[in-house]
């Protein structure tokens, strides 16, 4: 019996001992001014070259750009800012195929695409030249998410309750999905980019089929009024949502998109009040839950296809005394295979950004192919026309043995959509006064001319 007991308590898993060290002072950025917006977003997006953070500025939309290779003390006036939005930034996401391109969305009803120069931005730069502006939503745009397999495509969700799919090259909205009845709080693409999952303020989780421009299914998610999120469990056809249950407790639910009416698993976490930011590593099936205001980041090993009892196991919690305000993950291909780093999270706490490198301890220095199966590379696997026509493609995978080698980037032809100037109320009033004056002047000129004609006829 003792042997049986031992087995029950110690699962055999290569991720049982995953850990992250507290970063050293030299590895931390200090002097960050993250936005204080009340909207729920991660506020951080990262590529191998840059860490982008929604920045607190007077008058709205700025993103602070940090050089991923140069942590340290930041001079407030020297942090380069991307400043082109007329309202606060509500979400940002890096292009999965280009480390220099990212998307933002804003209270100004638009999303924008930005391309950072090869060498990065100069200290103190104010970078205003966007690559493309996506116009079409009628309210604040709260969520932006790059398509995982098709290049230059993003999904957005706005407070007009619409979800839109955009072709960045032309700036055109290709698909619009209606059917949400309240604010959409999160969007996530599935593994091959054929479906989206959303979580909305009407306490429902929805599976969106963008090419049918339809809601393919919906289910109750969390009864609490505070923010919730939903995401796909990597390569599996399962969905996890996080939110608040009865009595304001935090919880997660695992759903099967094909049988949405009965949740596979529902688990209470605690009674903390911060919204949870979930991150999922599709290659290790590890789930990280970073709660806003929490000192710790919990992580779990997930087996989405197992039975209910064996579906999710707590690994441990990364603990710190400082609370998380924002968090972003970097693509698996940019992790350091020499350290057996399986995910890197950039945690914002107070005025600091801390890189948290989660690693698997191993004695060997050799490449650990069981920890690093081929992962998503930096090339799209399907063209937009084919995807719009109904085709799907799984991501193009690359080996990380010897480290990731980026592919040559081809320049994308972008037809920039020119802005039609909307006049403010004040400008409209001025314009009207000018036109009225002009009418009075022309009427007087006509009267003079009439008098002159009469005189000549007489």
């Amino acid at each position: 019996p003792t042997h049986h007991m031992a087995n029950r308590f110690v699962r055999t898993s290569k991720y049982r001992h995953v850990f992250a060290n507290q970063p050293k002072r030299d590895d931390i950025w200090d002097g960050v001014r993250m936005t204080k917006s009340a909207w729920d977003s991660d506020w951080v997006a990262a590529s191998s070259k840059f860490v982008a953070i929604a920045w607190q500025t007077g008058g709205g939309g700025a993103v602070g750009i940090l050089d991923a290779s140069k942590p340290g003390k930041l001079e407030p006036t020297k942090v380069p800012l991307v400043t082109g939005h007329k309202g606060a930034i509500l979400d940002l996401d890096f292009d999965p195929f280009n480390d220099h391109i990212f998307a933002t969305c804003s209270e100004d009803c638009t999303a924008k695409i930005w391309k950072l120069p090869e060498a990065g931005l100069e200290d103190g730069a104010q970078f205003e030249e966007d690559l493309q502006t996506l116009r079409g939503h009628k309210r604040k745009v709260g969520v932006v998410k790059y398509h995982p397999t098709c290049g230059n495509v993003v999904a957005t969700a706005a407070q007009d309750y619409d979800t839109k799919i955009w072709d960045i090259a032309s700036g055109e909205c290709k698909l619009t999905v209606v059917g949400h009845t309240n604010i959409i709080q999160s969007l996530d693409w599935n593994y091959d980019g054929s479906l989206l999952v959303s979580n909305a303020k009407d306490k429902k989780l929805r599976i969106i089929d963008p090419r049918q421009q339809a809601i393919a299914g919906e289910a109750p998610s969390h009864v609490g009024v505070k923010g919730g999120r939903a995401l796909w469990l990597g390569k599996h056809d399962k969905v996890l949502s996080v939110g608040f249950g009865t009595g304001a407790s935090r919880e997660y639910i695992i759903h099967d998109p094909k049988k949405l009416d009965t949740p596979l698993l529902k688990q209470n976490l605690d009674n903390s009040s911060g919204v949870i930011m979930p991150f999922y590593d599709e290659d290790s099936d590890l789930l990280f839950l970073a709660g806003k205001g929490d000192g710790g980041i919990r992580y779990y090993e997930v087996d989405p296809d197992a039975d209910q009892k064996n579906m999710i196991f707590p690994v441990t919690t990364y603990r710190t005394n400082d609370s998380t305000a924002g968090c972003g993950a970097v693509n698996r291909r940019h992790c350091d295979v020499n350290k057996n780093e399986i995910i890197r999270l950039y945690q914002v706490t107070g005025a600091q950004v801390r890189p948290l490198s989660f690693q698997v301890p191993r004695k060997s220095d050799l490449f650990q192919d069981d920890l690093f199966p081929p992962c998503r590379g930096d090339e799209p696997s399907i063209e937009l026309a084919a995807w719009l026509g109904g085709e799907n493609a799984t991501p193009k995978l690359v080996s990380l043995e010897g480290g990731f080698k980026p592919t040559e980037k081809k320049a994308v032809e972008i037809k920039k959509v020119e802005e039609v100037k909307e006049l403010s109320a004040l400008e409209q009033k001025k314009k009207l006064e000018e036109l009225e004056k002009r009418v009075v002047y022309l009427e007087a000129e006509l009267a003079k001319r009439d008098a002159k004609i009469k005189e000549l006829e007489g």
Side-chain angles (χ1 to χ4, degrees):
T2 51
H3 173 70
H4 171 70
M5 290 297 281
N7 260 352
R8 244 183 64 198
F9 288 108
V10 181
R11 273 184 337 114
T12 52
S13 156
K14 54 192 167 202
Y15 299 113
R16 248 195 21 241
H17 301 295
V18 168
F19 73 98
N21 287 321
Q22 297 273 353
K24 299 186 177 65
R25 172 155 282 184
D26 295 347
D27 297 330
I28 290 171
W29 289 265
D30 200 344
V32 170
R33 296 182 169 175
M34 198 186 84
T35 177
K36 294 185 170 61
S37 165
W39 177 247
D40 170 41
S41 165
D42 295 342
W43 303 129
V44 182
S47 72
S48 69
K49 303 267 171 56
F50 305 101
V51 181
I53 295 173
W55 210 254
Q56 183 63 32
T57 51
V63 176
I65 303 294
L66 310 180
D67 181 333
S69 65
K70 292 185 188 144
K73 192 104 181 82
L74 302 169
E75 292 295 323
T77 53
K78 285 202 178 147
V79 176
L81 299 178
V82 167
T83 56
H85 279 289
K86 295 187 175 62
I89 302 263
L90 296 181
D91 198 16
L92 59 170
D93 195 29
F94 260 94
D95 183 331
F97 309 116
N98 192 316
D99 283 343
H100 290 260
I101 295 179
F102 68 98
T104 53
C105 61
S106 161
E107 289 187 356
D108 66 13
C109 307
T110 70
K112 284 179 183 285
I113 310 298
W114 308 89
K115 183 170 190 192
L116 298 168
E118 270 307 303
L121 295 173
E122 309 260 307
D123 279 1
Q126 301 257 342
F127 189 71
E128 289 184 2
E129 195 45 47
D130 61 59
L131 206 55
Q132 186 65 281
T133 300
L134 308 175
R135 296 185 186 86
H137 280 296
K138 297 178 281 299
R139 294 276 173 89
K140 298 173 181 179
V141 186
V143 186
V144 61
K145 268 277 187 296
Y146 267 95
H147 193 286
T149 58
C150 189
N152 296 303
V153 175
V154 289
T156 56
Q159 299 185 8
D160 54 12
Y161 310 163
D162 288 352
T163 303
K164 289 180 179 290
I165 311 295
W166 305 82
D167 172 8
I168 291 168
S170 67
E172 292 171 338
C173 169
K174 290 293 189 190
L175 302 161
T176 299
V177 184
V178 300
H180 288 77
T181 62
N182 207 323
I183 289 170
I184 301 164
Q185 296 165 320
S186 76
L187 282 180
D188 192 45
W189 289 99
N190 67 349
Y191 184 62
D192 66 1
S194 55
L195 298 169
L196 286 152
V197 64
S198 71
N199 195 75
K201 215 171 172 171
D202 55 16
K203 302 174 189 173
K204 286 201 170 109
L205 170 134
R206 291 177 176 83
I207 305 296
I208 300 169
D209 185 337
R211 290 168 296 188
Q212 296 297 319
Q213 302 192 69
I215 307 287
E218 59 177 57
S221 57
H222 303 272
V223 298
V225 283
K226 292 187 72 164
R229 304 270 195 101
L231 82 173
W232 296 87
L233 294 175
K235 301 169 189 180
H236 307 272
D237 194 21
K238 300 283 190 325
V239 168
L240 174 118
S241 61
V242 288
F244 293 84
T246 43
S249 62
R250 296 197 294 192
E251 61 183 17
Y252 63 77
I253 302 175
I254 295 179
H255 314 255
D256 179 349
K258 296 189 174 56
K259 297 196 285 283
L260 279 172
D261 42 358
T262 47
L264 295 172
L265 181 68
K266 188 170 178 173
Q267 182 67 51
N268 259 11
L269 286 166
D270 57 28
N271 285 331
S272 296
S273 61
V275 177
I276 290 172
M277 299 176 278
F279 299 91
Y280 196 82
D281 175 46
E282 66 189 16
D283 293 308
S284 62
D285 283 317
L286 289 178
L287 167 73
F288 294 78
L289 299 182
K292 292 188 178 179
D294 292 11
I297 295 175
R298 299 169 220 235
Y299 45 108
Y300 303 81
E301 198 173 342
V302 187
D303 184 353
D305 302 320
D307 59 20
Q308 200 176 1
K309 283 204 309 292
N310 298 305
M311 202 173 279
I312 190 159
F313 290 96
V315 180
T316 182
T317 301
Y318 166 81
R319 291 192 192 285
T320 158
N321 296 329
D322 307 298
S323 62
T324 303
C327 196
V330 73
N331 277 326
R332 164 62 91 108
R333 62 176 181 263
H334 299 309
C335 288
D336 184 348
V337 295
N338 298 321
K339 293 198 302 208
N340 295 327
E341 176 184 51
I342 52 169
I343 190 171
R344 188 180 329 131
L345 298 177
Y346 288 98
Q347 175 202 31
V348 179
T349 170
Q352 293 188 342
V353 178
R354 299 178 182 173
L356 305 182
S357 169
F358 289 88
Q359 302 167 24
V360 178
R362 288 274 165 100
K363 292 195 170 62
S364 162
D365 288 340
L366 299 174
F367 177 70
Q368 305 290 311
D369 54 9
D370 64 321
L371 298 180
F372 297 102
C375 73
R376 284 174 198 265
D378 62 352
E379 289 183 296
S381 52
I382 191 168
E383 293 289 330
L384 176 59
W387 183 78
L388 287 170
E391 288 177 40
N392 295 321
T394 52
K396 247 188 205 175
L397 304 182
V398 294
S399 164
L400 293 184
E401 189 158 4
F404 171 68
K405 294 157 201 71
T407 58
E408 275 295 310
K409 292 284 162 263
K410 291 192 276 294
V412 183
E413 283 294 309
I414 302 268
K415 286 221 316 277
K416 199 163 169 186
V417 182
E418 289 311 318
E419 184 175 6
V420 182
K421 240 39 208 115
E422 290 275 328
L423 299 179
S424 70
L426 197 66
E427 288 169 329
Q428 283 175 346
K429 200 171 154 209
K430 243 177 99 172
K431 189 97 181 133
L432 192 63
E433 282 168 3
E434 280 168 15
L435 290 170
E436 282 172 343
K437 273 185 194 155
R438 181 93 184 129
V439 169
V440 170
Y441 168 74
L442 290 172
E443 282 176 340
E445 286 295 300
L446 275 173
K448 272 190 214 164
R449 189 162 290 184
D450 284 351
K452 186 88 174 151
I453 291 168
K454 266 210 176 98
E455 188 186 313
L456 289 169
E457 284 173 343

